[in-house]
């Protein structure tokens, strides 16, 4: 039913209170997929009414991360739309008006209790081992008396008048019906004394006014879900389809993901923040594939493009079970998507990593090495480890690594000299010209290919792991290969 052809209007509603993380990215992605699948709209709404937690720059990070991921909103503060404004602090009057509609309908009331009074009541309740809740004092106030006090300039909030009895039945798309006894709920604040709404009021009003059909949000909102449903019903509005997404578990699988785990991940070259993932050399295709499957009950490691995800997405397939944050899977998907990129595209994406590391990059070399290193890349910045030597004038092999397994420095130097002679006699060094005589040399000396090629690999690339040797030498060119082998011979001779 949820994937009927009716265009969905979905929203992500982040608070600009910190970095854009995996959870936000997953919500954004599911929104985007459903919108694209049904020909609907994906809306970005900035929930910035909690001024104490506001973080400068967080809003820009949200836009940047969505753009980088390639799932930009159709409507939002930067792109506009017919349902704006899309920043909640610009919608104050709307919330004020709606809070008073609920008061007039008898579902809410102004409350004049001071913070001190509330704290005192809370303390008394705690002493009596009761759950803290609003005392109910201002519920009974006569409306004319309340109006007089407001007129006189007294501070007030507006609270929801939670029924003391009965139950509320809510319906979560992934969990089914949930029945809550109203006595466990509180007279929640809807409008604060600064005139700004709480999430409870603002989100319900906006979701209605913005014609939202499906609400994807974190399962931390399940606790106040009955309140939200009561607010929507009090207004007499239709409810959206509610989808509370699963929580994320630590990589160890034990317990919820926390800020501390985030910091640990970074030490290990991973991160739960989208902006860091970009810096670390992850590509949007890999990140999207990874987060898509956290909470999506399809085969575990299906490599999917965004188009394929749109094709296959189905709200009915989402699962409420907790999702493990498994960075090995991120690496798997990232490598897989890197290998799917056309050469020119991958070259363009690794280039900034070379430039940032201080290499001067010429296009022909970049294009020539990209297919050689592609297979080995897990993240884009691996291009430095596997292919930095292509852009260096000289390499500095570790002397001990130039010695082939089972041989000594003297013998290794001899082998290098023989290879040098072969290379000098070639018109140019290429895979076709250099490999056959080198293989003959291996046989003639009754050695293993790895012994001979190992010396040359370290001599020419400066490292023990490299892209295919002969192809690499072809890119480096005869002159530079000879210079590097000569240098290796000198080093080996000094040791021997
Ligand atoms: N501002 C809320 C949050 O960041 C939004 C929750 C929702 O999507 O309704 O958690």
């Amino acid at each position: 039913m949820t994937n009927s052809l009716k265009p969905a209007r979905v929203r992500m509603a982040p608070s600009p209170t910190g970095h854009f993380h995996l959870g936000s990215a997953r919500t954004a992605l599911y929104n985007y997929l459903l919108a694209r699948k049904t020909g609907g709209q994906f809306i970005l709404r900035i929930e910035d009414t909690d001024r104490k937690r506001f973080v400068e720059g967080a809003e820009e990070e949200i836009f940047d991360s969505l753009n980088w991921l390639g799932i930009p909103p159709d409507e939002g503060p930067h792109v506009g739309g017919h349902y704006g404004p899309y920043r909640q602090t610009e919608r104050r009057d709307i919330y004020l008006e709606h809070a008073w509609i609920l008061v007039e309908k008898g579902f809410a009331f102004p409350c004049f209790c001071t913070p001190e009074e509330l704290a005192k009541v809370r303390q008394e309740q705690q002493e009596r081992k009761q759950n803290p809740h609003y005392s109910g004092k201002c519920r009974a106030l006569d409306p004319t008396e309340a109006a007089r006090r407001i007129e006189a300039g007294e501070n007030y909030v507006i609270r929801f008048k939670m029924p003391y009895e009965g139950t509320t039945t809510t319906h979560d798309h992934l969990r089914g019906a949930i029945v809550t006894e109203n006595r466990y709920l509180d007279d929640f604040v809807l409008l604060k004394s600064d005139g700004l709404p709480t999430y409870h009021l603002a989100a319900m009003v906006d979701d209605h006014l913005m014609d939202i059909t499906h609400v994807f949000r974190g399962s931390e909102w399940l606790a106040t879900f009955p309140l939200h449903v009561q607010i929507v019903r009090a207004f007499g509005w239709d409810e959206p389809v509610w989808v509370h997404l699963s929580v994320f578990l630590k990589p160890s699988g034990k317990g919820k993901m926390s800020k501390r785990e985030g910091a640990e991940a970074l030490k290990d070259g991973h991160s739960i923040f989208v902006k860091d993932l970009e810096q670390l050399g992850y590509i949007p295709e890999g990140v999207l594939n990874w987060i898509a499957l956290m909470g999506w009950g399809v085969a575990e490691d299906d490599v999917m493009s965004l188009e394929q995800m749109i094709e296959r997405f189905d709200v009915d397939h989402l699962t409420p079970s907790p999702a493990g944050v498994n960075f090995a899977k991120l690496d798997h998907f990232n490598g897989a998507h890197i290998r799917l990129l056309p050469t020119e595209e991958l070259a363009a994406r690794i280039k900034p990593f070379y430039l940032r590391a201080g290499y001067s990059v010429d296009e022909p070399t970049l294009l020539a090495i990209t297919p050689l290193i592609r297979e080995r890349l897990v993240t884009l910045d691996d291009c430095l480890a596997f292919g930095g030597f292509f852009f260096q004038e000289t390499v500095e092999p570790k002397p001990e690594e130039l010695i082939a397994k089972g041989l000594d420095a003297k013998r290794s130097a001899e082998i290098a000299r023989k290879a040098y002679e072969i290379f000098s006699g070639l018109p140019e060094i290429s895979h076709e010209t250099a490999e056959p005589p080198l293989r003959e040399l291996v046989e003639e000396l009754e050695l293993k290919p790895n012994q001979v090629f190992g010396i040359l690999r370290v001599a020419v690339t400066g490292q023990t792991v490299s892209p295919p040797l002969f192809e690499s030498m072809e890119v480096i060119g005869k002159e530079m290969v000879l210079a590097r082998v000569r240098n290796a011979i000198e080093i080996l001779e000094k040791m021997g």
Side-chain angles (χ1 to χ4, degrees):
M1 122 211 159
T2 47
N3 282 347
S4 67
L5 291 174
K6 192 167 173 286
R9 282 186 56 83
V10 283
R11 90 298 189 274
M12 85 165 305
S15 302
T17 52
H19 293 305
F20 191 85
H21 54 77
L22 288 184
S24 330
R26 184 183 59 175
T27 307
L29 176 62
Y30 289 170
N31 276 315
Y32 182 88
L33 295 177
L34 188 63
R36 288 294 83 86
K37 174 143 203 146
T38 59
Q41 292 84 36
F42 165 37
I43 293 119
L44 174 66
R45 183 171 75 223
I46 301 293
E47 300 205 331
D48 56 350
T49 58
D50 189 345
R51 303 313 285 172
K52 284 196 251 29
R53 293 178 57 223
F54 182 81
V55 170
E56 203 60 56
E59 192 179 302
E60 280 62 41
E61 193 176 321
I62 296 168
F63 300 138
D64 291 347
S65 296
L66 290 175
N67 281 333
W68 180 76
L69 286 168
I71 50 172
D74 303 308
E75 295 173 26
H78 279 196
V79 279
H82 295 305
Y83 294 77
Y86 294 93
R87 247 182 232 104
Q88 289 188 327
T89 46
E90 294 165 21
R91 300 170 64 84
R92 281 169 185 260
D93 295 349
I94 301 176
Y95 308 123
L96 184 66
E97 184 195 330
H98 281 83
W100 280 100
I101 292 178
L102 287 187
V103 174
E104 271 142 35
K105 287 177 134 207
F107 287 107
F109 61 94
C111 165
F112 301 90
C113 297
T114 61
E116 295 73 34
E117 265 179 86
L118 295 171
K120 191 163 162 277
V121 171
R122 191 167 309 127
Q123 196 187 342
E124 286 164 6
Q125 289 168 341
Q126 270 160 354
E127 278 160 17
R128 289 199 299 270
K129 303 253 178 300
Q130 284 177 334
N131 279 340
H133 59 273
Y134 180 64
S135 68
K137 184 175 166 202
C138 297
R139 264 172 94 124
L141 265 188
D142 176 65
T144 355
E145 168 68 359
R148 189 196 58 74
R149 289 173 70 171
I150 291 170
E151 191 71 16
E154 239 184 274
N155 267 343
Y156 70 98
V157 301
I158 291 183
R159 288 178 183 274
F160 191 73
K161 200 182 275 181
M162 185 60 66
Y164 287 139
E165 281 161 11
T167 58
T168 304
T169 303
T170 53
H171 193 277
D172 171 74
H173 193 70
L174 310 181
R175 295 166 181 79
I178 307 169
V179 182
T180 312
E181 289 196 39
N182 292 333
R183 66 193 165 99
Y184 294 126
L185 300 165
D186 205 356
D187 290 344
F188 290 94
V189 173
L190 301 176
L191 197 77
K192 297 177 282 186
S193 56
D194 61 4
L196 281 169
T198 56
Y199 167 82
H200 312 307
L201 177 68
M204 297 314 115
V205 168
D206 289 345
D207 287 344
H208 171 71
L209 296 180
M210 295 181 180
D211 277 345
I212 299 303
T213 57
H214 297 69
V215 168
F216 290 100
R217 60 180 188 178
S219 55
E220 67 270 22
W221 294 109
L222 279 170
T224 41
F225 184 22
L227 165 71
H228 302 146
V229 166
Q230 286 200 38
I231 293 173
V232 173
R233 290 179 189 161
F235 279 114
W237 297 332
D238 286 339
E239 283 178 57
V241 175
W242 302 95
V243 188
H244 291 90
L245 299 172
S246 55
V247 295
F248 289 102
L249 295 182
K250 293 177 190 178
S252 65
K254 292 189 199 100
K256 280 215 293 187
M257 193 76 191
S258 68
K259 284 222 176 87
R260 221 178 92 222
E261 258 66 42
E264 284 298 307
L266 201 52
K267 277 194 224 149
D268 186 33
H270 294 112
S271 179
I272 55 165
F273 301 122
V274 171
K275 158 172 142 305
D276 289 345
L277 292 174
E278 177 181 2
Q279 296 296 319
L280 290 165
Y282 288 94
I283 62 171
E285 294 87 340
V287 174
L288 285 179
N289 202 155
W290 180 51
I291 54 178
L293 298 185
M294 288 193 231
W296 180 346
V298 289
E300 282 280 281
D301 45 13
D302 279 4
V303 175
M304 292 184 281
S305 66
L306 191 54
E307 279 64 42
Q308 288 165 324
M309 289 183 213
I310 295 170
E311 178 85 11
R312 288 163 64 171
F313 185 73
D314 187 335
V315 186
D316 295 349
H317 293 168
L318 298 181
T319 156
S321 325
V325 175
N326 181 340
F327 290 114
K329 276 196 185 159
L330 170 61
D331 288 346
H332 161 77
F333 285 119
N334 208 63
H337 280 282
I338 282 180
R339 284 185 279 288
L340 288 174
L341 294 177
T343 302
E344 283 78 32
E345 177 62 27
L346 178 55
R349 296 210 206 177
I350 56 180
K351 188 173 174 182
F353 287 86
Y354 283 125
L355 295 178
R356 225 178 292 151
Y359 292 107
S360 58
V361 176
D362 66 286
E363 284 306 309
T365 306
L366 180 66
L367 284 173
I369 68 163
T370 302
L372 301 184
I373 61 173
R374 186 207 314 265
E375 289 307 309
R376 296 174 186 268
L377 302 182
V378 171
T379 50
L380 294 176
D381 67 342
D382 288 343
C383 71
L384 299 175
F386 291 118
F389 64 87
F390 285 111
F391 299 106
Q392 286 164 211
E393 264 317 296
T394 54
V395 290
E396 285 166 31
K398 289 202 186 88
E400 64 280 10
E401 287 180 354
L402 282 168
I403 303 174
K405 214 168 168 224
L407 307 178
D408 59 9
K410 200 158 162 262
R411 184 98 172 93
S412 302
E414 264 166 47
I415 297 168
R417 266 197 299 272
K418 286 201 188 306
Y420 184 90
E421 275 164 36
I422 294 174
F423 292 153
S424 337
L426 297 173
E428 88 218 18
I429 297 185
S430 73
H431 187 206
E432 289 76 21
T433 59
E435 188 168 356
L438 256 273
R439 292 225 176 249
E440 274 169 36
L441 179 67
V442 170
E443 280 185 23
E444 185 191 310
L445 301 176
E446 296 185 356
L447 292 167
K448 295 204 184 75
N450 272 351
Q451 291 176 299
V452 175
F453 298 166
I455 301 172
L456 294 175
R457 184 185 308 284
V458 176
V460 174
T461 70
Q463 51 203 49
T464 53
V465 181
S466 80
L469 180 60
F470 295 101
E471 280 92 337
S472 300
M473 292 201 289
E474 187 170 331
V475 175
I476 293 171
K478 180 172 166 180
E479 202 184 318
M480 208 179 253
V481 168
L482 287 178
R484 290 184 184 186
V485 177
R486 207 179 312 125
N487 178 45
I489 296 170
E490 278 167 25
I491 297 175
L492 284 164
E493 279 173 347
K494 270 192 219 134
M495 297 172 82

